[in-house]
Amino acid sequence: MKVLLVGGGGRENAIGEALVRGGAELYVVSKHRNPGLARLAKGYGLARETDVPRVLEFAEKWGVDLAFIGPEAPLERGIVDALEESGIPAVGPSRKAAQLETNKAFARAFMERHEIPGRKLFRVFEDVSEMRSWVDDFGKPVVVKPLGLTGGKGVKVVGYQLGDNEEAKAYAEELIRRDGKVLIEERTDGVEFTFQVFTDGKKVIPMPLAQDYPHAYENDEGPITGGMGSYSCANGLLPFVTREDYEKALETLKATVEATRKEGIPYKGILYGQFMLSRDGPVIIEYNARFGDPEAMNVLPLLRTGLLEVAEGIVDGRLRKAEFENKATVVKYLAPRGYPVSPVNGVKVEVNEGAIAEAGARLYYASIDESFTLLGSRAIAVVGISDTLEEAETIAQNAVSYVKGELFYRRDVGTRKSVEKRIETLRNLGKDFEPNSC
């Protein structure tokens, strides 16, 4: 089967590898030639992923049978609708259903309308004075968010003492003046985790949980950016997520899929819930309408069921199963020096692929071209896979040494110390639980 993959990042390299492993003949369209995908693909077209007419041209030229959408931006442009109108079924939500990610005001109102469990108190403001008055009256810490896509950036979590809330109001005013609207919601303290599921619009199949490291620098410092790494555990949970909290989060995602069906915009593809585990249980922070990057690299190498079989089940409305190996994983992302504020680009790096393979690690390419020149964003990911988290982290850490250049990474991703820090955060908030082994 000929499958079109839209996107050329690390997430898409993992998707493409899994599709080929599952028997697909792969064709790719992305804005640069990803060296990992270029080796897998029978055809490679260069175009912006949001240039829907151009993507369609490639799809029709190659005569693809199925499409798989990697990033969120083309979903916002309605690429799934356009492909399906051309007779090409696609893994990904329609433009309307993708609003769960692409329009935060829509997502919050949707949750209220359907009483989705784990939702947060929120308000959308267009008027600066009304916003300032509400924040003062609310009197508690808030989160200020732009309404559209942010690529993992642009969200500001503001904690303040009563009467000292100027930072929240100033940022919200900046967004109102820039965008016309702003979303403000109650702040929830806890530890974030990622819950990804496959769905055909009715059936929901969970993937192993993962935890992302969104801060650029070690010890969870620096700007929030595209994830610098992530880990998952062999039991599919996380050390701080109990089975009860897992089931509550899964119920939130199942209720979401059911609600989209009731609204006449059935959701199919990958639904990714970003949850905050609070003292009182999981709270849905936001939805993503696709695989996480890097979290796709945690789960896809473990997928026993062919991804092509899963994809066909999604588009046919007959999703049956998706089974995963019971292994722990650690992803470490290497990014250009200076990322995300002022990253170097146009500089070449060296990758000893053979040594990385001998070290037992997976390798995925992202914002880097076929001449191994950095393009300014996260460039290369290495993935350790083993029976335990410690072993997986050691494999990933050893693999990093075989990449040379003006790059940096977070050494603490997936380490026992960083995991224990998250357990301690929850205990300090008063959550009573017994940690899982990982």
Side-chain angles (χ1 to χ4, degrees):
M1 178 175 280
K2 293 182 175 182
V3 179
L4 169 68
L5 174 61
V6 177
R11 163 184 50 213
E12 288 76 34
N13 195 171
I15 293 169
E17 180 191 76
L19 285 168
V20 170
R21 194 169 70 241
E25 183 175 296
L26 188 68
Y27 295 81
V28 179
V29 176
S30 69
K31 61 181 179 289
H32 74 279
R33 277 180 73 89
N34 177 306
L37 283 171
R39 295 169 198 171
L40 295 167
K42 295 282 187 181
Y44 207 120
L46 291 177
R48 288 179 295 110
E49 292 97 339
T50 52
D51 187 346
V52 174
R54 188 78 177 115
V55 174
L56 277 174
E57 280 181 29
F58 282 114
E60 289 167 355
K61 180 180 86 170
W62 291 323
V64 300
D65 304 299
L66 177 74
F68 202 119
I69 314 304
E72 60 274 24
L75 295 172
E76 184 179 36
R77 294 292 182 92
I79 193 167
V80 169
D81 310 66
L83 285 162
E84 292 186 342
E85 284 168 14
S86 298
I88 301 168
V91 176
S94 66
R95 186 175 192 168
K96 287 183 177 178
Q99 288 181 103
L100 287 177
E101 173 171 11
T102 64
N103 184 333
K104 291 182 176 66
F106 169 88
R108 290 299 177 205
F110 171 91
M111 286 187 237
E112 278 297 304
R113 203 158 54 244
H114 295 281
E115 299 182 346
I116 302 296
R119 65 193 183 280
K120 299 176 72 168
L121 176 69
F122 78 100
R123 286 287 300 275
V124 175
F125 294 98
E126 299 179 25
D127 181 84
V128 170
S129 60
E130 184 186 355
M131 173 275 295
R132 285 181 165 274
S133 176
W134 185 88
V135 171
D136 285 340
D137 290 344
F138 188 59
K140 293 186 242 180
V142 295
V143 181
V144 180
K145 295 181 177 182
L147 291 178
L149 294 176
T150 63
K153 311 167 187 72
V155 174
K156 187 165 286 191
V157 179
V158 188
Y160 55 83
Q161 300 298 319
L162 189 59
D164 181 23
N165 50 15
E166 291 308 308
E167 184 184 1
K169 293 187 290 188
Y171 182 53
E173 180 172 341
E174 177 188 326
L175 292 177
I176 289 173
R177 298 200 186 285
R178 188 191 76 185
D179 303 335
K181 293 181 181 181
V182 67
L183 172 69
I184 299 181
E185 60 189 29
E186 63 177 316
R187 171 173 163 174
T188 303
D189 292 318
V191 176
E192 289 192 45
F193 68 93
T194 298
F195 200 153
Q196 302 172 114
V197 299
F198 293 115
T199 179
D200 61 4
K202 292 175 289 189
K203 190 176 179 66
V204 173
I205 298 180
M207 306 184 214
L209 300 185
Q211 186 174 46
D212 181 24
Y213 287 65
H215 289 271
Y217 313 132
E218 291 182 14
N219 300 314
D220 303 319
E221 296 176 356
I224 291 176
T225 185
M228 292 297 295
S230 49
Y231 72 93
S232 68
C233 297
N235 62 4
L237 300 173
L238 292 169
F240 52 86
V241 178
T242 65
R243 176 59 61 180
E244 181 184 2
D245 286 329
Y246 171 93
E247 294 296 340
K248 286 180 180 178
L250 180 57
E251 182 52 40
T252 292
L253 297 177
K254 285 181 175 178
T256 300
V257 170
E258 176 63 18
T260 63
R261 194 173 62 79
K262 286 179 178 175
E263 288 214 353
I265 51 169
Y267 188 104
K268 59 182 178 61
I270 291 89
L271 181 61
Y272 160 167
Q274 190 70 43
F275 286 90
M276 181 74 78
L277 185 58
S278 72
R279 181 181 62 186
D280 301 320
V283 175
I284 182 76
I285 301 298
E286 64 182 13
Y287 298 109
N288 288 317
R290 33 68 190 184
F291 274 118
D293 187 349
E295 296 97 329
M297 294 178 261
N298 294 104
V299 298
L300 286 174
L302 303 182
L303 184 60
R304 282 188 184 140
T305 312
L307 184 57
L308 180 57
E309 179 186 333
V310 174
E312 288 183 272
I314 288 170
V315 300
D316 292 342
R318 292 186 284 108
L319 182 61
R320 292 187 300 127
K321 64 175 183 177
E323 297 174 346
F324 295 85
E325 290 184 60
N326 297 321
K327 299 278 189 181
T329 68
V330 173
V331 179
K332 301 207 179 199
Y333 238 135
L334 292 93
R337 182 171 49 78
Y339 175 83
V341 180
S342 54
V344 299
N345 62 37
V347 177
K348 289 195 175 185
V349 298
E350 297 177 16
V351 183
N352 188 334
E353 296 182 353
I356 290 171
E358 284 180 19
R362 300 287 184 101
L363 171 67
Y364 297 113
Y365 290 105
S367 184
I368 190 169
D369 68 16
E370 281 192 294
S371 66
F372 293 88
T373 299
L374 299 177
L375 301 176
S377 192
R378 296 170 299 166
I380 297 165
V382 294
V383 186
I385 303 170
S386 193
D387 293 328
T388 68
L389 183 65
E390 284 87 353
E391 291 168 355
E393 192 276 329
T394 298
I395 291 168
Q397 184 61 42
N398 289 341
V400 168
S401 65
Y402 299 113
V403 182
K404 309 293 184 186
E406 292 191 52
L407 299 159
F408 80 99
Y409 70 102
R410 284 187 58 169
R411 295 180 64 93
D412 60 345
V413 171
T415 61
R416 181 58 59 185
K417 182 178 178 182
S418 76
V419 173
E420 288 174 351
K421 177 182 174 183
R422 286 147 175 75
I423 292 171
E424 191 64 24
T425 295
L426 281 168
R427 284 188 165 148
N428 288 340
L429 289 171
K431 187 165 180 63
D432 183 22
F433 68 103
E434 279 299 319
N436 295 301
S437 60
C438 185

